[in-house]
Amino acid sequence: MKIPFIDLKAQFRHLEERIRQSIDTVLDHGQFIMGPEVLELESQLAEFAGSRNAITCSSGTDALLMALMGKEVGRGDAVFTTPFTFIATAEVISLLGATPVFVDIDPQTFNVDPAKLDDAINSVKQEGKLKARGVIAVDIFGLPADYDRIAPIAEQHGLFVLEDAAQSFGAVYNGKRAGALGDVAATSFFPAKPLGCYGDGGAILTDDDELARMLRSIRVHGAGEDKYHNVRIGLNGRLDTIQAAILLQKLSVFQEELDLRQKVALQFTDAFEQWANHLALQSIPNGSRSAWAQYSLLSEHKKELCAALNEAGVPTAVYYPIPLHQQGAFAHLGYRRGDLPVSEHIAEQIFSIPMHPYLHDADIQNIVEVFNSYFND
Ligand SMILES: *Cc1c(COP(=O)(O)O)cnc(C)c1O
């Protein structure tokens, strides 16, 4: 039998009655835009992450975009980020006319390398063409970036830190939750993310009340006192009430699901230990707990392993096959092969195996067995 890569149906079976009921409640009250569920969700998200404000919005991409709009990023600005991420992270920088500056990653955590970040900021400052404005750190695969090292560098240079927590909502870093690790954070409720809805959705989190006020305005066409009094350029960036109602149900079991993900990840990690000569895993630093959006491995035998897994009914995926500095969309930035060698190397060797809270022990065993027989042969 084929194992699903992410089993959304298993979660739905678990929550079906409550989700159908909560959708019915919205159909009955009819406040489809900014209904009471949206406000309730914002208060619960802020509390969960330990942030003063949560502003829900239409997607993770819009959350990133709105956060940069709130920081008034524009033409002539440099925003530093990792090339080993989904296109949205850097796309929003370019959308606002600013320039993404890619900084290579740490080979163990796959997150931006703080030492290289400092170097990159210094060279942009020295060159003097762009104004260094901010950093977008990505919590790749659910593992928070190293904010205790990133924050002092950013502060020293006067830059803001935007946490791309699209994959990491629910993760922990040195006693704090993802979403509360930068000056402002963006997360995504795309269905396949650890906390997903049944459509597009996202949220911005920040302790900065003034920024939160601005973001609420940006979310509704730059509204001032009301919707028809517009004080800045904004967009239509709201989360639907029905999605908020679904998310409230999913949030109520989210911590249990995070614990189940952790259990699955530990079983994989224990089982792969014996193949340490052939497989490298994302290393999880002390004090960090991943939200396990993906369970990823590195191998020189990637192609053969993925073929063997697929043959056995185990789907695989590659996040991400092309680092952003090598994407056609950013060709105008003039990066060359070899500029960010760690990202390039990891993109070649990485692949992900099924990961979700409802993965049965038997499925885990079957997946591990494919690795065992591949390496035993
Ligand atoms: C999914 C994702 C996004 C975008 O989220 P959407 O809700 O799909 O717009 C941004 N950054 C990262 C790292 C992501 O994984």
Side-chain angles (χ1 to χ4, degrees):
M1 207 189 81
K2 199 162 157 38
I3 301 171
F5 192 71
I6 293 180
D7 195 350
L8 291 174
K9 285 190 186 131
Q11 185 198 45
F12 182 60
R13 281 194 296 274
H14 186 55
L15 296 172
E16 176 163 5
E17 216 169 304
R18 294 158 59 181
I19 288 178
R20 287 193 189 278
Q21 198 162 18
S22 65
I23 294 173
D24 265 347
T25 305
V26 178
L27 294 178
D28 285 337
H29 71 53
Q31 294 178 61
F32 301 116
I33 303 294
M34 296 305 286
E37 288 82 357
V38 174
L39 301 181
E40 177 58 27
L41 177 66
E42 291 184 343
S43 113
Q44 290 194 23
L45 290 171
E47 177 166 343
F48 188 93
S51 178
R52 282 180 56 83
N53 304 279
I55 299 99
T56 55
C57 63
S58 37
S59 69
T61 305
D62 283 350
L64 290 164
L65 178 67
M66 288 165 64
L68 293 184
M69 288 168 79
K71 288 291 183 184
E72 301 182 278
V73 165
R75 208 157 290 283
D77 290 345
V79 178
F80 301 83
T81 193
T82 164
F84 190 64
T85 180
F86 182 55
I87 183 83
T89 309
E91 185 180 41
V92 292
I93 302 168
S94 294
L95 263 176
L96 292 173
T99 303
V101 178
F102 294 114
V103 180
D104 213 355
I105 57 175
D106 177 280
Q108 256 80 50
T109 63
F110 315 152
N111 280 324
V112 72
D113 182 333
K116 289 177 187 156
L117 174 64
D118 195 42
D119 292 346
I121 299 169
N122 283 321
S123 25
V124 163
K125 284 189 152 176
Q126 225 149 41
E127 216 176 66
K129 284 193 201 138
L130 297 168
K131 186 168 180 335
R133 285 295 316 283
V135 178
I136 306 180
V138 178
D139 304 338
I140 202 73
F141 304 145
L143 176 69
D146 196 354
Y147 294 93
D148 284 352
R149 289 178 65 204
I150 293 167
I153 295 167
E155 196 178 316
Q156 188 206 331
H157 292 285
L159 311 192
F160 65 81
V161 177
L162 166 54
E163 177 190 3
D164 182 342
Q167 302 179 4
S168 65
F169 196 73
V172 176
Y173 174 83
N174 294 345
K176 286 171 123 184
R177 286 273 192 185
L181 303 175
D183 299 302
V184 54
T187 195
S188 165
F189 304 128
F190 182 82
K193 309 284 172 163
L195 181 63
C197 58
Y198 292 146
D200 279 308
I204 308 153
L205 296 112
T206 182
D207 280 342
D208 181 342
D209 295 343
E210 180 53 31
L211 178 63
R213 204 182 52 79
M214 211 163 143
L215 289 167
R216 290 181 200 283
S217 158
I218 289 169
R219 175 170 63 182
V220 194
H221 305 288
E225 284 155 39
D226 63 59
K227 194 169 153 182
Y228 302 107
H229 177 218
N230 309 95
V231 296
R232 59 175 63 80
I233 297 299
L235 37 82
N236 174 357
R238 295 169 302 233
L239 178 74
D240 294 349
T241 308
I242 285 181
Q243 299 301 343
I246 292 161
L247 284 164
L248 280 168
Q249 296 308 321
K250 293 206 185 188
L251 189 57
S252 73
V253 298
F254 187 48
Q255 185 57 57
E256 287 161 46
E257 291 191 343
L258 287 165
D259 294 342
L260 290 169
R261 283 176 188 272
Q262 174 74 5
K263 230 181 99 194
V264 172
L266 288 180
Q267 288 183 74
F268 280 140
T269 301
D270 285 348
F272 295 143
E273 210 182 322
Q274 60 172 317
W275 306 121
N277 289 340
H278 301 288
L279 293 173
L281 308 178
Q282 184 181 27
S283 83
I284 311 294
N286 286 334
S288 291
R289 186 156 159 184
S290 178
W292 296 109
Q294 302 295 343
Y295 192 95
S296 304
L297 314 99
L298 300 177
S299 175
E300 285 174 16
H301 307 263
K302 164 176 163 176
K303 242 178 90 185
E304 296 79 4
L305 271 169
C306 289
L309 286 160
N310 297 344
E311 181 79 13
V314 179
T316 54
V318 176
Y319 306 105
Y320 293 90
I322 305 173
L324 298 192
H325 68 288
Q326 296 183 299
Q327 292 282 3
F330 293 120
H332 62 282
L333 297 174
Y335 286 92
R336 285 182 209 294
R337 185 170 175 79
D339 282 350
L340 302 163
V342 180
S343 300
E344 293 167 22
H345 173 73
I346 286 176
E348 277 167 19
Q349 295 207 348
I350 202 146
F351 64 102
S352 304
I353 56 176
M355 163 54 77
H356 61 82
Y358 305 97
L359 201 55
H360 297 298
D361 287 352
D363 292 332
I364 296 171
Q365 278 321 308
N366 286 339
I367 294 168
V368 166
E369 206 36 60
V370 179
F371 284 87
N372 291 347
S373 51
Y374 181 84
F375 289 124
N376 274 326
D377 277 351

